[in-house]
């Protein structure tokens, strides 16, 4: 029996239709060319002689496409590029291939290829020179900070002004040749201050400080501050000592040296009203004479001279009360005039009881046209003992005319010692007398009188043991 292909196809299609109706609608399935197609084979029909037959494979899509593919709208194919047409504009320029690292690297590679070994040596030499320069510069900066390679002990005096900042001090260090790199030093101090929690404004003492390059930046800055040390010493400054005697006493107690004391006294910027009120500072031997208040102090061993001076002056400022200030204005005297007269009384009086009487004698002379000079022996001694040994002969004559009250009219140029509270009060509250003269015997007893003859008679009778007939 011959194989009927048409009938076989009808039977297969009928089976597919019946199965589709039973299973429901199916999703479309697209078969790619690359994927293997499902094959449904038919039984191979053996070819019989004188009979035609079909043997092959039939492909069916199980499902229809869910969404037909639409052709692209307005699609225009690109025009063919003419290879003979020359490109113009910036986009047509060809970029030269550069080596990794940029133009500089490419230039360096070109240089090395061109110069060969010689170029390589030049390049290495430049790198070595740069490294050496950076190393030397870095070591120089580190030396500014630590001074581990500086042995110079040349003493340089640096004057610190009131309320000076760290930057201002570093500027002075650079100017004086103590450091070389001020900008790096400022940056270093700023950074280290933040690291140590000390970013606030540092406080420095005003005055003169002796520094050396071997100290290093941090030690130099520390030297300009008040350093709290463990060892302390008690120093008593009696009434009547002058500045030279006070400086010597401080040096013996190892508080500070006389040299530092004098330097700081001359250069310190002191914002005290009584200091600013002194009008003739340049005419005085020691312009702060009289204001180093006598008292008992506790100092640190090796304390800054600037700090010592400030402590003494602060004590005077505290002891000069509003009462004293008011009283001085009532009697028509300035603070400086009160202290100058008190210093003379301090040296002339044998004790506190004599001071008001001596004050009355000098007051009467200051108000009298007959006694224009105070004629105090203490002022003559001050010039001879404390001024003349320290100045030239010409300067000694000038100071003698200013301080010796046998030569100058009225008060001397300034105080001759540092008076205590009793002498100051004696000036402010003198006794009411008509005396113009006074004197002491060898026992320290004082004799005051209206005239010089009367005073001499009283003293003679006291020495001879003769009673005064007027009594």
């Amino acid at each position: 029996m011959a194989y009927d292909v048409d009938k076989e196809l009808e039977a297969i299609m009928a089976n597919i239709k019946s199965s589709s109706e039973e299973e429901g609608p199916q999703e479309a399935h697209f078969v790619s060319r690359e994927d293997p197609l499902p094959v449904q084979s038919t039984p191979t029909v053996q070819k019989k002689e004188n009979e035609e037959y079909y043997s092959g494979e039939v492909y069916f899509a199980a499902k229809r496409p869910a969404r037909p593919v639409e052709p692209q709208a307005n699609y225009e194919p690109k025009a063919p590029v003419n290879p003979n047409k020359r490109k113009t504009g910036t986009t047509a320029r060809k970029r030269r291939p550069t080596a990794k690292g940029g133009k500089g690297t490419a230039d360096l590679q070109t240089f090395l290829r061109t110069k060969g070994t010689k170029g390589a040596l030049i390049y290495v030499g430049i790198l070595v020179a740069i490294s050496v320069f950076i190393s030397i510069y870095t070591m120089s900066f580190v030396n500014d900070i630590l001074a581990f390679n500086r042995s110079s002990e040349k003493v340089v005096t640096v004057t610190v002004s009131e309320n000076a900042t760290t930057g201002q001090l570093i500027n002075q260090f650079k100017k004086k040749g103590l450091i070389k790199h001020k900008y790096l030093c400022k940056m270093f101090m700023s950074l280290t201050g933040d690291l140590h929690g000390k970013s606030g404004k540092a406080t420095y003492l005003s005055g003169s400080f002796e520094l050396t390059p071997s100290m290093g930046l941090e030690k130099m800055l520390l030297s300009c501050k008040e350093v709290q040390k463990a060892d302390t010493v008690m120093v008593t400054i009696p009434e009547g000592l002058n500045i030279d005697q006070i400086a010597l006493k401080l040096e013996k107690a190892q508080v500070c040296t006389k040299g530092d004391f004098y330097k700081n006294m001359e250069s310190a910027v002191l914002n005290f009203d009584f200091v600013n009120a002194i009008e003739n500072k340049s005419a005085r031997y020691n312009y702060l004479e009289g204001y180093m208040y006598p008292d008992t102090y506790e100092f640190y061993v090796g304390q800054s001279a600037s700090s010592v001076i400030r402590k003494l002056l602060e004590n005077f400022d505290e002891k000069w009360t509003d009462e004293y200030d008011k009283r001085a204005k009532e009697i028509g005297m300035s603070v400086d005039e009160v202290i100058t007269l008190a210093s003379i009384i301090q040296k002339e009086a044998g004790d506190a009881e004599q001071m008001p009487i001596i004050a009355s004698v000098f007051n009467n002379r200051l108000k009298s046209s007959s006694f224009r000079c105070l004629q105090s022996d203490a002022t003559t001694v001050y010039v001879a003992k404390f001024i003349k040994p320290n100045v030239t002969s010409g300067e000694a004559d000038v100071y003698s005319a200013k301080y010796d009250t046998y030569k100058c009219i009225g008060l001397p140029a300034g105080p001759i010692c540092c008076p205590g509270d009793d002498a100051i009060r004696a000036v402010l509250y003198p006794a009411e007398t008509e005396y113009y003269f006074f004197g002491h015997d060898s026992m320290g007893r004082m004799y005051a009188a209206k005239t010089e003859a009367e005073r001499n008679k009283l003293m003679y009778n006291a020495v001879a043991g003769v009673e005064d007939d007027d009594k």
Side-chain angles (χ1 to χ4, degrees), residues 77-110:
K78 293 183 179 179
V81 178
N82 185 359
N84 296 324
K85 186 177 180 180
R86 185 176 180 180
K87 293 183 179 180
T88 59
T90 57
T91 58
R93 295 175 186 172
K94 292 183 179 180
R95 295 183 179 179
R96 294 182 180 179
T98 57
K100 187 178 181 181
K103 182 178 179 182
T105 305
D107 293 343
L108 176 61
Q109 290 177 351
T110 303

Side-chain angles (χ1 to χ4, degrees), residues 272-281 284 291 334-336:
F272 295 98
D273 291 339
F274 60 87
V275 174
N276 295 331
I278 299 174
E279 297 179 353
N280 60 339
K281 294 184 180 68
R284 299 188 178 189
Y291 296 98
S334 67
V335 178
D336 193 54

Side-chain angles (χ1 to χ4, degrees), residues 225-239:
K225 295 180 180 179
E226 180 62 70
V227 181
Q228 304 294 320
K229 299 182 179 180
D231 298 334
T232 61
V233 59
M234 303 298 295
V235 178
T236 298
I237 300 177
E239 294 89 342

Side-chain angles (χ1 to χ4, degrees), residues 51 119-120 312 385 461:
E51 289 182 354
L312 294 170
K385 188 174 181 180
N461 290 341

Side-chain angles (χ1 to χ4, degrees), residues 240-252 257-258 261-262 265-266 285-286 288-290 292 382-383 385-391 416-418:
L241 293 189
N242 58 45
I243 283 180
D244 290 345
Q245 293 170 318
I246 293 173
L248 181 61
K249 195 173 185 68
L250 291 170
E251 185 175 66
K252 288 182 177 180
T257 65
K258 288 176 60 177
F261 192 83
Y262 292 136
M265 187 175 58
E266 293 172 0
Y285 177 63
N286 281 321
L288 289 178
E289 186 75 85
M292 306 291 179
Y382 179 72
V383 172
K385 188 174 181 180
F386 296 103
I387 295 181
K388 281 187 176 180
N390 301 313
V391 297
I416 62 173
C417 72
C418 298

Side-chain angles (χ1 to χ4, degrees), residues 16 47 86 112 207 246 248 262 317 319 332 351 366 408 447:
I16 292 173
K47 181 179 179 183
R86 185 176 180 180
L112 293 177
I246 293 173
L248 181 61
Y262 292 136
D317 193 39
K319 294 299 192 295
D351 53 43
L366 290 172
C408 67
Y447 303 91

Side-chain angles (χ1 to χ4, degrees), residues 33-272:
R33 284 185 178 182
E34 289 76 15
D35 297 331
L37 296 173
V39 179
Q40 182 174 352
S41 62
T42 58
T44 305
V45 180
Q46 298 293 330
K47 181 179 179 183
K48 293 184 180 181
E49 189 177 0
N50 298 323
E51 289 182 354
E52 294 179 357
Y53 73 94
Y54 172 81
S55 177
E57 297 174 342
V58 181
Y59 300 90
F60 299 94
K63 303 172 187 175
R64 293 181 180 180
R67 183 178 179 182
V69 178
E70 296 180 0
Q72 295 182 0
N74 301 325
Y75 174 77
E76 294 181 3
K78 293 183 179 179
V81 178
N82 185 359
N84 296 324
K85 186 177 180 180
R86 185 176 180 180
K87 293 183 179 180
T88 59
T90 57
T91 58
R93 295 175 186 172
K94 292 183 179 180
R95 295 183 179 179
R96 294 182 180 179
T98 57
K100 187 178 181 181
K103 182 178 179 182
T105 305
D107 293 343
L108 176 61
Q109 290 177 351
T110 303
F111 173 78
L112 293 177
R113 283 197 301 268
T114 303
K115 299 297 182 180
T117 304
K118 182 178 179 181
L121 292 174
I122 294 174
Y123 179 66
V124 172
I126 293 173
L127 290 180
V128 171
I130 293 173
S131 300
V132 170
F133 174 77
I134 294 174
S135 299
I136 293 174
Y137 192 85
T138 303
M139 291 296 294
S140 178
F141 165 63
V142 173
N143 261 331
D144 279 349
I145 306 300
L146 303 176
F148 61 85
N149 198 27
R150 290 180 180 171
S151 57
S152 175
E153 295 297 333
K154 179 182 177 182
V155 177
V156 178
T157 302
V158 175
T159 302
V160 180
S161 60
E162 191 81 9
N163 300 320
T165 63
T166 300
Q168 290 172 338
L169 261 65
I170 291 176
N171 289 340
Q172 286 205 60
F173 296 164
K174 167 66 175 176
K175 188 176 181 180
K176 296 285 187 178
L178 294 167
I179 60 173
K180 296 181 179 179
H181 312 286
K182 68 176 182 179
Y183 295 111
L184 290 177
C185 287
K186 290 179 182 180
M187 185 184 302
F188 173 81
M189 292 307 301
S190 177
L191 292 174
T192 54
D194 292 337
L195 290 174
H196 295 127
K198 299 178 181 178
S199 56
K201 182 180 178 182
T203 302
Y204 299 98
L205 299 170
S206 62
S208 296
F209 298 87
E210 293 184 347
L211 309 174
T212 63
S214 61
M215 295 174 70
L217 176 64
E218 290 190 295
K219 189 174 181 180
M220 286 189 287
L221 291 173
L222 189 63
S223 299
C224 299
K225 295 180 180 179
E226 180 62 70
V227 181
Q228 304 294 320
K229 299 182 179 180
D231 298 334
T232 61
V233 59
M234 303 298 295
V235 178
T236 298
I237 300 177
E239 294 89 342
L241 293 189
N242 58 45
I243 283 180
D244 290 345
Q245 293 170 318
I246 293 173
L248 181 61
K249 195 173 185 68
L250 291 170
E251 185 175 66
K252 288 182 177 180
Q254 299 182 343
V255 176
C256 62
T257 65
K258 288 176 60 177
D260 285 345
F261 192 83
Y262 292 136
K263 284 182 181 179
N264 280 274
M265 187 175 58
E266 293 172 0
S267 61
V269 179
L270 304 165
N271 291 327
F272 295 98

